[in-house]
Amino acid sequence: FESTILASSSLHEAISSIVARKMSREMADTRMRLESLEYLTSQILANDERIGADIIAIMSRDPAAMSYLQVVQFFKGFHAVQAQRCAHAIWKDNDKNTALALQDRVNELWQVDIHPAAQLGGGLMCDHATGLVIGETAVVGRDCTILHNVTLGGIGHDKGVDRHPKLGDRVTIGAGATLVGPIRIESDVVIGSQAVVSINVPTGLVVVGRNSLLNPSRSTARKAEVLRRPITWIYETSSEA
């Protein structure tokens, strides 16, 4: 605590120190020196507004988050996202090997596998995050929520082509859901737990099962149903759109 939080002069320095120390532990075959990692991550994360947006998102959406300091110190989904942001900047700077080494270490440390080329918007909450896989050409919009064991996967074997999902803003993806292919998930969509999605999803709809689309605003009765059970209505209502 004293060597990370108290010794830092800014939020991005504190986060860089925490993430770098975890990634540089000697158990990692792909480790980099702590001093190098701290300097590199601090330079990349400086002035990145997405850091604060991520912390605020977690505090507002996760009832288990008791303080901002707790999020910064202990939430591995938050740590993994910040590490990927660093790897993404390094990837764009054409240092592919270093970026992939960071991806490998994040996967080893937190069981989160996000390709360095993937684009992650601010205000992102990856709750629990274990088993999360996000592929190379995936894009995640602003203020999205992604639970554990979610896959944003690709199709095809051709290199250099668009293969992964694109998420709009304020998309929520439940635990164990799988999204495959270069599909478009528009803003304010909810993907239910264990859903399999391989089609485009229009704004504001809900997906359950295999590509089954539900409209929360379909009727007055449906709207009332959603208001009564905002979390579980998608599993208790008719499968009709």
Side-chain angles (χ1 to χ4, degrees), residues 164-183:
H164 299 89
K166 310 292 181 288
L167 309 185
D169 300 333
R170 300 173 301 281
V171 172
T172 299
I173 306 180
T178 299
L179 288 65
V180 293
I183 57 177

Side-chain angles (χ1 to χ4, degrees), residues 5 10 13 44 47 56 64 75 97 105 108 161 211 215 238:
I5 301 297
S10 64
E13 282 190 8
I44 292 171
N47 302 316
I56 292 171
F75 280 40
N97 286 338
R105 178 56 175 146
E108 178 187 34
V161 300
N211 292 328
N215 186 350
S238 166

